[in-house]
Amino acid sequence: MLVVLALSLAVGASGSRSPRTEADRVNAIASEVRCPTCRSLSAAESDAKAAGAVKEEIRTRLRAGQSDAEIRGYLASRYGKDILLRPDATGLAGLVWSIPVALLLVALAGLFAAFRRWRGVVPPPTDEERALVEEALRSS
């Protein structure tokens, strides 16, 4: 199971993540940014004027050659870090995101070890027990 999980993560991580067209890239970045006015939707989902302005700013910065990370950094500096729907995975935020994953892996390893140990707990039947079973089968 761990091998399948590791292979799945490797294939997912190696695949092309960046969208191909400019519109796709704008939409991908806008979907990671909160709408400045409605706050409950991403800029990609919102029809508010502020969300449109954010999308236009993203488009302008993409045309200027900035990377996705640079654009997200600019938006976070302009509107505050809470505009990002996906927090940075560095420092304390990275620790908060990685601890549950680490605990899950430790729990799975513990279960695996327990199941291996429990497999050998039941002793094989003794000669007396086999004789009792054979006698019971003959008498029925």
Side-chain angles (χ1 to χ4, degrees):
M1 187 164 116
L2 289 175
V3 172
V4 171
L5 179 63
L7 285 173
S8 299
L9 289 173
V11 168
S14 67
S16 175
R17 289 185 180 184
S18 61
R20 299 187 188 277
T21 66
E22 179 183 282
D24 288 342
R25 286 187 68 196
V26 168
N27 196 33
I29 296 171
S31 68
E32 296 177 0
V33 176
R34 189 175 317 234
C35 174
T37 55
C38 49
R39 309 298 284 174
S40 62
L41 298 172
S42 70
E45 298 169 323
S46 176
D47 292 331
K49 286 184 180 182
V54 167
K55 288 187 266 190
E56 190 56 40
E57 182 69 31
I58 293 169
R59 184 174 287 107
T60 301
R61 291 183 173 276
L62 279 175
R63 288 179 181 161
Q66 289 188 351
S67 69
D68 295 3
E70 289 172 329
I71 295 170
R72 283 190 297 272
Y74 166 77
L75 292 171
S77 70
R78 182 168 178 198
Y79 296 101
K81 285 192 174 194
D82 63 327
I83 197 166
L84 300 176
L85 291 174
R86 189 177 352 157
D88 291 335
T90 59
L92 184 60
L95 191 61
V96 168
W97 285 97
S98 62
I99 286 177
V101 173
L103 289 176
L104 177 67
L105 291 175
V106 168
L108 288 174
L111 281 173
F112 180 75
F115 287 143
R116 286 194 59 118
R117 196 172 345 119
W118 291 339
R119 186 170 57 180
V121 169
V122 178
T126 64
D127 291 335
E128 275 184 28
E129 293 169 335
R130 286 182 188 184
L132 283 173
V133 169
E134 287 176 15
E135 184 180 321
L137 288 174
R138 276 184 262 155
S139 66
S140 59

